[in-house]
PDB file of all heavy atoms in Angstrom:
ATOM      1  N   TYR A  35      -0.419  18.170   4.688  1.00  0.00           N
ATOM      2  CA  TYR A  35      -0.554  18.973   5.849  1.00  0.00           C
ATOM      3  C   TYR A  35      -1.345  20.200   5.530  1.00  0.00           C
ATOM      4  O   TYR A  35      -1.213  20.757   4.468  1.00  0.00           O
ATOM      5  CB  TYR A  35       0.806  19.368   6.530  1.00  0.00           C
ATOM      6  CG  TYR A  35       1.493  18.173   7.041  1.00  0.00           C
ATOM      7  CD1 TYR A  35       2.269  17.333   6.196  1.00  0.00           C
ATOM      8  CD2 TYR A  35       1.667  17.997   8.437  1.00  0.00           C
ATOM      9  CE1 TYR A  35       2.866  16.187   6.756  1.00  0.00           C
ATOM     10  CE2 TYR A  35       2.312  17.032   8.970  1.00  0.00           C
ATOM     11  CZ  TYR A  35       2.951  16.094   8.150  1.00  0.00           C
ATOM     12  OH  TYR A  35       3.569  14.959   8.541  1.00  0.00           O
ATOM     13  N   GLY A  36      -2.188  20.780   6.521  1.00  0.00           N
ATOM     14  CA  GLY A  36      -2.821  21.980   6.263  1.00  0.00           C
ATOM     15  C   GLY A  36      -3.832  22.430   7.146  1.00  0.00           C
ATOM     16  O   GLY A  36      -4.110  21.587   8.226  1.00  0.00           O
ATOM     17  N   THR A  37      -4.466  23.598   7.162  1.00  0.00           N
ATOM     18  CA  THR A  37      -5.500  24.085   7.958  1.00  0.00           C
ATOM     19  C   THR A  37      -6.913  23.763   7.527  1.00  0.00           C
ATOM     20  O   THR A  37      -7.685  23.409   8.420  1.00  0.00           O
ATOM     21  CB  THR A  37      -5.259  25.586   8.068  1.00  0.00           C
ATOM     22  OG1 THR A  37      -3.961  25.952   8.606  1.00  0.00           O
ATOM     23  CG2 THR A  37      -6.334  26.246   8.954  1.00  0.00           C
ATOM     24  N   PHE A  38      -7.108  23.845   6.113  1.00  0.00           N
ATOM     25  CA  PHE A  38      -8.333  23.385   5.706  1.00  0.00           C
ATOM     26  C   PHE A  38      -9.528  24.017   6.271  1.00  0.00           C
ATOM     27  O   PHE A  38     -10.554  23.430   6.534  1.00  0.00           O
ATOM     28  CB  PHE A  38      -8.468  21.892   5.758  1.00  0.00           C
ATOM     29  CG  PHE A  38      -7.406  21.130   4.876  1.00  0.00           C
ATOM     30  CD1 PHE A  38      -6.354  20.586   5.433  1.00  0.00           C
ATOM     31  CD2 PHE A  38      -7.418  21.104   3.420  1.00  0.00           C
ATOM     32  CE1 PHE A  38      -5.432  19.967   4.723  1.00  0.00           C
ATOM     33  CE2 PHE A  38      -6.576  20.399   2.635  1.00  0.00           C
ATOM     34  CZ  PHE A  38      -5.459  19.834   3.262  1.00  0.00           C
ATOM     35  N   HIS A  42     -12.870  24.322   0.750  1.00  0.00           N
ATOM     36  CA  HIS A  42     -13.410  24.871  -0.608  1.00  0.00           C
ATOM     37  C   HIS A  42     -12.847  23.955  -1.739  1.00  0.00           C
ATOM     38  O   HIS A  42     -11.950  23.079  -1.386  1.00  0.00           O
ATOM     39  CB  HIS A  42     -13.002  26.322  -0.771  1.00  0.00           C
ATOM     40  CG  HIS A  42     -11.431  26.742  -0.670  1.00  0.00           C
ATOM     41  ND1 HIS A  42     -10.576  26.121  -1.486  1.00  0.00           N
ATOM     42  CD2 HIS A  42     -10.941  27.358   0.322  1.00  0.00           C
ATOM     43  CE1 HIS A  42      -9.428  26.618  -1.115  1.00  0.00           C
ATOM     44  NE2 HIS A  42      -9.525  27.266  -0.047  1.00  0.00           N
ATOM     45  N   GLY A  44     -10.538  24.332  -3.852  1.00  0.00           N
ATOM     46  CA  GLY A  44      -9.102  24.357  -4.012  1.00  0.00           C
ATOM     47  C   GLY A  44      -8.462  23.294  -3.088  1.00  0.00           C
ATOM     48  O   GLY A  44      -7.568  22.453  -3.490  1.00  0.00           O
ATOM     49  N   HIS A  45      -9.080  23.099  -1.938  1.00  0.00           N
ATOM     50  CA  HIS A  45      -8.710  22.052  -0.965  1.00  0.00           C
ATOM     51  C   HIS A  45      -9.009  20.711  -1.555  1.00  0.00           C
ATOM     52  O   HIS A  45      -8.198  19.707  -1.583  1.00  0.00           O
ATOM     53  CB  HIS A  45      -9.399  22.266   0.377  1.00  0.00           C
ATOM     54  CG  HIS A  45      -8.994  23.441   1.036  1.00  0.00           C
ATOM     55  ND1 HIS A  45      -9.959  24.231   1.729  1.00  0.00           N
ATOM     56  CD2 HIS A  45      -7.836  23.967   1.417  1.00  0.00           C
ATOM     57  CE1 HIS A  45      -9.417  25.277   2.295  1.00  0.00           C
ATOM     58  NE2 HIS A  45      -8.095  25.129   2.132  1.00  0.00           N
ATOM     59  N   LEU A  48      -6.715  19.566  -4.333  1.00  0.00           N
ATOM     60  CA  LEU A  48      -5.432  19.159  -3.686  1.00  0.00           C
ATOM     61  C   LEU A  48      -5.542  17.822  -3.174  1.00  0.00           C
ATOM     62  O   LEU A  48      -4.660  16.865  -3.495  1.00  0.00           O
ATOM     63  CB  LEU A  48      -5.035  20.215  -2.664  1.00  0.00           C
ATOM     64  CG  LEU A  48      -3.620  20.082  -1.903  1.00  0.00           C
ATOM     65  CD1 LEU A  48      -3.543  18.951  -0.896  1.00  0.00           C
ATOM     66  CD2 LEU A  48      -2.413  20.103  -2.870  1.00  0.00           C
ATOM     67  N   ARG A  51      -5.840  15.052  -5.913  1.00  0.00           N
ATOM     68  CA  ARG A  51      -4.607  14.855  -6.715  1.00  0.00           C
ATOM     69  C   ARG A  51      -3.617  14.189  -5.743  1.00  0.00           C
ATOM     70  O   ARG A  51      -2.684  13.267  -6.052  1.00  0.00           O
ATOM     71  CB  ARG A  51      -3.992  16.152  -7.227  1.00  0.00           C
ATOM     72  CG  ARG A  51      -4.781  16.525  -8.551  1.00  0.00           C
ATOM     73  CD  ARG A  51      -4.325  17.986  -8.987  1.00  0.00           C
ATOM     74  NE  ARG A  51      -4.576  18.982  -7.977  1.00  0.00           N
ATOM     75  CZ  ARG A  51      -3.830  20.053  -7.935  1.00  0.00           C
ATOM     76  NH1 ARG A  51      -2.858  20.291  -8.626  1.00  0.00           N
ATOM     77  NH2 ARG A  51      -4.113  20.948  -6.889  1.00  0.00           N
ATOM     78  N   SER A  64      -3.805  20.986  10.932  1.00  0.00           N
ATOM     79  CA  SER A  64      -3.278  21.859  12.026  1.00  0.00           C
ATOM     80  C   SER A  64      -4.365  22.132  13.111  1.00  0.00           C
ATOM     81  O   SER A  64      -5.450  22.529  12.786  1.00  0.00           O
ATOM     82  CB  SER A  64      -3.016  23.306  11.413  1.00  0.00           C
ATOM     83  OG  SER A  64      -2.314  23.169   9.998  1.00  0.00           O
ATOM     84  N   PHE A  68      -1.933  25.325  16.976  1.00  0.00           N
ATOM     85  CA  PHE A  68      -0.835  25.471  16.065  1.00  0.00           C
ATOM     86  C   PHE A  68      -1.071  26.579  15.034  1.00  0.00           C
ATOM     87  O   PHE A  68      -0.278  27.514  14.733  1.00  0.00           O
ATOM     88  CB  PHE A  68      -0.646  24.083  15.246  1.00  0.00           C
ATOM     89  CG  PHE A  68       0.380  24.190  14.196  1.00  0.00           C
ATOM     90  CD1 PHE A  68       1.747  24.282  14.590  1.00  0.00           C
ATOM     91  CD2 PHE A  68       0.096  24.019  12.929  1.00  0.00           C
ATOM     92  CE1 PHE A  68       2.767  24.321  13.648  1.00  0.00           C
ATOM     93  CE2 PHE A  68       1.086  24.024  11.947  1.00  0.00           C
ATOM     94  CZ  PHE A  68       2.354  24.170  12.279  1.00  0.00           C
ATOM     95  N   LYS A  73       0.810  30.192  12.955  1.00  0.00           N
ATOM     96  CA  LYS A  73       0.452  30.723  11.528  1.00  0.00           C
ATOM     97  C   LYS A  73      -0.308  31.965  11.734  1.00  0.00           C
ATOM     98  O   LYS A  73      -0.885  32.485  10.744  1.00  0.00           O
ATOM     99  CB  LYS A  73      -0.342  29.692  10.704  1.00  0.00           C
ATOM    100  CG  LYS A  73       0.390  28.361  10.445  1.00  0.00           C
ATOM    101  CD  LYS A  73      -0.463  27.538   9.478  1.00  0.00           C
ATOM    102  CE  LYS A  73      -0.352  26.184   9.749  1.00  0.00           C
ATOM    103  NZ  LYS A  73      -1.379  25.457   8.702  1.00  0.00           N
ATOM    104  N   LYS A  75      -3.211  32.273  12.394  1.00  0.00           N
ATOM    105  CA  LYS A  75      -4.429  32.021  11.757  1.00  0.00           C
ATOM    106  C   LYS A  75      -5.467  31.687  12.738  1.00  0.00           C
ATOM    107  O   LYS A  75      -5.446  30.927  13.569  1.00  0.00           O
ATOM    108  CB  LYS A  75      -4.464  30.706  10.780  1.00  0.00           C
ATOM    109  CG  LYS A  75      -3.836  30.951   9.443  1.00  0.00           C
ATOM    110  CD  LYS A  75      -3.972  29.716   8.520  1.00  0.00           C
ATOM    111  CE  LYS A  75      -3.441  29.895   7.196  1.00  0.00           C
ATOM    112  NZ  LYS A  75      -3.603  28.650   6.395  1.00  0.00           N
ATOM    113  N   GLU A 100      -1.888  18.153  13.446  1.00  0.00           N
ATOM    114  CA  GLU A 100      -0.642  18.911  13.188  1.00  0.00           C
ATOM    115  C   GLU A 100      -0.374  19.826  14.249  1.00  0.00           C
ATOM    116  O   GLU A 100      -1.151  20.751  14.407  1.00  0.00           O
ATOM    117  CB  GLU A 100      -0.507  19.456  11.832  1.00  0.00           C
ATOM    118  CG  GLU A 100       0.894  20.293  11.682  1.00  0.00           C
ATOM    119  CD  GLU A 100       0.931  21.040  10.359  1.00  0.00           C
ATOM    120  OE1 GLU A 100      -0.046  21.546   9.927  1.00  0.00           O
ATOM    121  OE2 GLU A 100       2.176  21.186   9.848  1.00  0.00           O
ATOM    122  N   TRP A 103       5.690  22.302  13.600  1.00  0.00           N
ATOM    123  CA  TRP A 103       6.307  22.390  12.175  1.00  0.00           C
ATOM    124  C   TRP A 103       7.228  21.204  12.131  1.00  0.00           C
ATOM    125  O   TRP A 103       7.577  20.799  11.010  1.00  0.00           O
ATOM    126  CB  TRP A 103       7.176  23.602  12.110  1.00  0.00           C
ATOM    127  CG  TRP A 103       6.346  24.941  11.867  1.00  0.00           C
ATOM    128  CD1 TRP A 103       6.232  25.968  12.850  1.00  0.00           C
ATOM    129  CD2 TRP A 103       5.550  25.286  10.744  1.00  0.00           C
ATOM    130  NE1 TRP A 103       5.449  26.945  12.299  1.00  0.00           N
ATOM    131  CE2 TRP A 103       5.020  26.519  11.089  1.00  0.00           C
ATOM    132  CE3 TRP A 103       5.136  24.554   9.565  1.00  0.00           C
ATOM    133  CZ2 TRP A 103       4.172  27.229  10.174  1.00  0.00           C
ATOM    134  CZ3 TRP A 103       4.368  25.305   8.665  1.00  0.00           C
ATOM    135  CH2 TRP A 103       3.811  26.608   9.004  1.00  0.00           C
ATOM    136  N   LYS A 106       6.894  16.464  10.707  1.00  0.00           N
ATOM    137  CA  LYS A 106       6.811  15.804   9.491  1.00  0.00           C
ATOM    138  C   LYS A 106       7.601  14.495   9.377  1.00  0.00           C
ATOM    139  O   LYS A 106       7.248  13.522   8.864  1.00  0.00           O
ATOM    140  CB  LYS A 106       7.109  16.790   8.343  1.00  0.00           C
ATOM    141  CG  LYS A 106       6.150  17.902   8.288  1.00  0.00           C
ATOM    142  CD  LYS A 106       6.367  18.907   7.133  1.00  0.00           C
ATOM    143  CE  LYS A 106       5.289  19.987   7.084  1.00  0.00           C
ATOM    144  NZ  LYS A 106       5.085  20.689   8.132  1.00  0.00           N
ATOM    145  N   MET A 120       2.328  18.640  -0.975  1.00  0.00           N
ATOM    146  CA  MET A 120       1.872  20.007  -0.514  1.00  0.00           C
ATOM    147  C   MET A 120       1.519  20.854  -1.814  1.00  0.00           C
ATOM    148  O   MET A 120       2.099  20.509  -2.874  1.00  0.00           O
ATOM    149  CB  MET A 120       3.027  20.726   0.258  1.00  0.00           C
ATOM    150  CG  MET A 120       3.323  20.202   1.657  1.00  0.00           C
ATOM    151  SD  MET A 120       1.761  20.231   2.742  1.00  0.00           S
ATOM    152  CE  MET A 120       1.518  21.972   2.842  1.00  0.00           C
ATOM    153  N   GLY A 121       0.769  21.737  -1.600  1.00  0.00           N
ATOM    154  CA  GLY A 121       0.595  22.691  -2.732  1.00  0.00           C
ATOM    155  C   GLY A 121       1.817  23.469  -2.993  1.00  0.00           C
ATOM    156  O   GLY A 121       2.673  23.667  -2.092  1.00  0.00           O
ATOM    157  N   ASP A 122       2.009  23.963  -4.287  1.00  0.00           N
ATOM    158  CA  ASP A 122       3.216  24.518  -4.709  1.00  0.00           C
ATOM    159  C   ASP A 122       3.611  25.896  -4.180  1.00  0.00           C
ATOM    160  O   ASP A 122       4.585  26.552  -4.458  1.00  0.00           O
ATOM    161  CB  ASP A 122       3.468  24.552  -6.169  1.00  0.00           C
ATOM    162  CG  ASP A 122       2.380  25.401  -7.003  1.00  0.00           C
ATOM    163  OD1 ASP A 122       1.572  26.107  -6.263  1.00  0.00           O
ATOM    164  OD2 ASP A 122       2.441  25.366  -8.236  1.00  0.00           O
ATOM    165  N   ASP A 123       2.641  26.430  -3.346  1.00  0.00           N
ATOM    166  CA  ASP A 123       3.009  27.617  -2.646  1.00  0.00           C
ATOM    167  C   ASP A 123       4.107  27.293  -1.556  1.00  0.00           C
ATOM    168  O   ASP A 123       4.843  28.217  -1.138  1.00  0.00           O
ATOM    169  CB  ASP A 123       1.791  28.351  -1.996  1.00  0.00           C
ATOM    170  CG  ASP A 123       0.839  27.375  -1.162  1.00  0.00           C
ATOM    171  OD1 ASP A 123       0.715  26.156  -1.652  1.00  0.00           O
ATOM    172  OD2 ASP A 123       0.512  27.625  -0.075  1.00  0.00           O
ATOM    173  N   TRP A 124       4.294  26.131  -1.322  1.00  0.00           N
ATOM    174  CA  TRP A 124       5.281  25.630  -0.402  1.00  0.00           C
ATOM    175  C   TRP A 124       6.509  25.005  -1.021  1.00  0.00           C
ATOM    176  O   TRP A 124       7.347  24.435  -0.471  1.00  0.00           O
ATOM    177  CB  TRP A 124       4.696  24.563   0.546  1.00  0.00           C
ATOM    178  CG  TRP A 124       3.736  25.041   1.460  1.00  0.00           C
ATOM    179  CD1 TRP A 124       2.354  25.034   1.399  1.00  0.00           C
ATOM    180  CD2 TRP A 124       4.009  25.755   2.807  1.00  0.00           C
ATOM    181  NE1 TRP A 124       1.770  25.644   2.338  1.00  0.00           N
ATOM    182  CE2 TRP A 124       2.667  26.009   3.272  1.00  0.00           C
ATOM    183  CE3 TRP A 124       5.174  26.041   3.542  1.00  0.00           C
ATOM    184  CZ2 TRP A 124       2.561  26.736   4.538  1.00  0.00           C
ATOM    185  CZ3 TRP A 124       5.046  26.644   4.704  1.00  0.00           C
ATOM    186  CH2 TRP A 124       3.830  27.042   5.255  1.00  0.00           C
ATOM    187  N   PHE A 128       9.871  22.064   1.962  1.00  0.00           N
ATOM    188  CA  PHE A 128       9.924  20.785   2.672  1.00  0.00           C
ATOM    189  C   PHE A 128      10.796  19.779   1.959  1.00  0.00           C
ATOM    190  O   PHE A 128      10.607  18.551   2.139  1.00  0.00           O
ATOM    191  CB  PHE A 128       8.554  20.351   2.849  1.00  0.00           C
ATOM    192  CG  PHE A 128       7.625  21.300   3.715  1.00  0.00           C
ATOM    193  CD1 PHE A 128       6.417  21.684   3.076  1.00  0.00           C
ATOM    194  CD2 PHE A 128       7.929  21.675   4.910  1.00  0.00           C
ATOM    195  CE1 PHE A 128       5.666  22.585   3.834  1.00  0.00           C
ATOM    196  CE2 PHE A 128       7.167  22.639   5.605  1.00  0.00           C
ATOM    197  CZ  PHE A 128       5.989  23.071   5.105  1.00  0.00           C
ATOM    198  N   GLU A 142       0.333  21.868  -8.100  1.00  0.00           N
ATOM    199  CA  GLU A 142      -0.191  23.375  -8.453  1.00  0.00           C
ATOM    200  C   GLU A 142      -1.365  23.696  -7.588  1.00  0.00           C
ATOM    201  O   GLU A 142      -2.364  22.930  -7.497  1.00  0.00           O
ATOM    202  CB  GLU A 142      -0.516  23.347  -9.959  1.00  0.00           C
ATOM    203  CG  GLU A 142      -0.322  24.731 -10.511  1.00  0.00           C
ATOM    204  CD  GLU A 142      -0.506  24.608 -12.081  1.00  0.00           C
ATOM    205  OE1 GLU A 142       0.037  23.662 -12.712  1.00  0.00           O
ATOM    206  OE2 GLU A 142      -1.388  25.355 -12.558  1.00  0.00           O
ATOM    207  N   ARG A 143      -1.324  24.913  -6.984  1.00  0.00           N
ATOM    208  CA  ARG A 143      -2.454  25.469  -6.314  1.00  0.00           C
ATOM    209  C   ARG A 143      -3.616  25.737  -7.229  1.00  0.00           C
ATOM    210  O   ARG A 143      -3.297  26.114  -8.393  1.00  0.00           O
ATOM    211  CB  ARG A 143      -2.028  26.763  -5.579  1.00  0.00           C
ATOM    212  CG  ARG A 143      -1.579  26.647  -4.306  1.00  0.00           C
ATOM    213  CD  ARG A 143      -1.202  28.080  -3.773  1.00  0.00           C
ATOM    214  NE  ARG A 143      -2.428  28.901  -3.367  1.00  0.00           N
ATOM    215  CZ  ARG A 143      -2.779  28.904  -2.135  1.00  0.00           C
ATOM    216  NH1 ARG A 143      -2.274  28.138  -1.265  1.00  0.00           N
ATOM    217  NH2 ARG A 143      -3.904  29.560  -1.838  1.00  0.00           N
ATOM    218  N   THR A 144      -4.828  25.603  -6.766  1.00  0.00           N
ATOM    219  CA  THR A 144      -5.976  26.085  -7.612  1.00  0.00           C
ATOM    220  C   THR A 144      -6.179  27.592  -7.571  1.00  0.00           C
ATOM    221  O   THR A 144      -6.067  28.154  -6.372  1.00  0.00           O
ATOM    222  CB  THR A 144      -7.254  25.413  -7.090  1.00  0.00           C
ATOM    223  OG1 THR A 144      -7.149  23.984  -6.985  1.00  0.00           O
ATOM    224  CG2 THR A 144      -8.522  25.815  -7.859  1.00  0.00           C
ATOM    225  N   ILE A 147      -8.894  30.922  -5.545  1.00  0.00           N
ATOM    226  CA  ILE A 147      -9.661  30.580  -4.263  1.00  0.00           C
ATOM    227  C   ILE A 147      -8.866  30.394  -3.210  1.00  0.00           C
ATOM    228  O   ILE A 147      -7.716  29.875  -3.301  1.00  0.00           O
ATOM    229  CB  ILE A 147     -10.606  29.314  -4.531  1.00  0.00           C
ATOM    230  CG1 ILE A 147     -11.431  29.085  -3.296  1.00  0.00           C
ATOM    231  CG2 ILE A 147      -9.809  28.126  -4.899  1.00  0.00           C
ATOM    232  CD1 ILE A 147     -12.572  29.982  -3.171  1.00  0.00           C
TER     233      ILE A 147
HETATM  234  N1  C2G B  18      -4.430  24.775  -1.623  1.00  0.00           N
HETATM  235  C1  C2G B  18      -4.556  24.655  -2.940  1.00  0.00           C
HETATM  236  N2  C2G B  18      -5.225  25.520  -3.766  1.00  0.00           N
HETATM  237  C2  C2G B  18      -5.838  26.589  -3.088  1.00  0.00           C
HETATM  238  C3  C2G B  18      -5.654  26.695  -1.580  1.00  0.00           C
HETATM  239  C4  C2G B  18      -4.997  25.827  -0.953  1.00  0.00           C
HETATM  240  O1  C2G B  18      -3.882  23.657  -3.659  1.00  0.00           O
HETATM  241  N3  C2G B  18      -6.501  27.442  -3.862  1.00  0.00           N
HETATM  242  C5  C2G B  18      -3.583  23.776  -0.950  1.00  0.00           C
HETATM  243  C6  C2G B  18      -2.367  24.369  -0.205  1.00  0.00           C
HETATM  244  O2  C2G B  18      -1.280  24.628  -1.057  1.00  0.00           O
HETATM  245  C7  C2G B  18      -2.155  23.314   0.936  1.00  0.00           C
HETATM  246  C8  C2G B  18      -3.399  22.791   1.220  1.00  0.00           C
HETATM  247  O3  C2G B  18      -4.411  23.107   0.124  1.00  0.00           O
HETATM  248  O4  C2G B  18      -1.257  22.344   0.371  1.00  0.00           O
HETATM  249  C9  C2G B  18      -4.065  23.365   2.494  1.00  0.00           C
HETATM  250  O5  C2G B  18      -4.057  24.716   2.364  1.00  0.00           O
HETATM  251  P1  C2G B  18      -4.157  25.542   3.783  1.00  0.00           P
HETATM  252  O6  C2G B  18      -5.210  25.093   4.611  1.00  0.00           O
HETATM  253  O7  C2G B  18      -4.098  27.010   3.507  1.00  0.00           O
HETATM  254  O8  C2G B  18      -2.817  25.026   4.513  1.00  0.00           O
HETATM  255  P2  C2G B  18      -1.534  25.926   4.947  1.00  0.00           P
HETATM  256  O9  C2G B  18      -1.934  26.973   5.814  1.00  0.00           O
HETATM  257  O10 C2G B  18      -0.771  26.175   3.780  1.00  0.00           O
HETATM  258  O11 C2G B  18      -0.779  24.789   6.020  1.00  0.00           O
HETATM  259  O12 C2G B  18       2.878  22.399   7.645  1.00  0.00           O
HETATM  260  C10 C2G B  18       2.346  22.816   6.552  1.00  0.00           C
HETATM  261  C11 C2G B  18       1.004  23.704   6.912  1.00  0.00           C
HETATM  262  O13 C2G B  18       0.197  23.062   7.791  1.00  0.00           O
HETATM  263  C12 C2G B  18       0.241  24.037   5.601  1.00  0.00           C
END
Side-chain angles (χ1 to χ4, degrees):
Y35 292 73
T37 300
F38 296 98
H42 56 68
H45 296 135
L48 188 283
R51 289 173 295 155
S64 310
F68 180 66
K73 300 192 219 173
K75 281 187 177 181
E100 177 186 29
W103 290 111
K106 294 180 174 67
M120 287 303 295
D122 64 3
D123 46 320
W124 292 95
F128 300 121
E142 208 175 310
R143 271 178 77 92
T144 302
I147 184 74

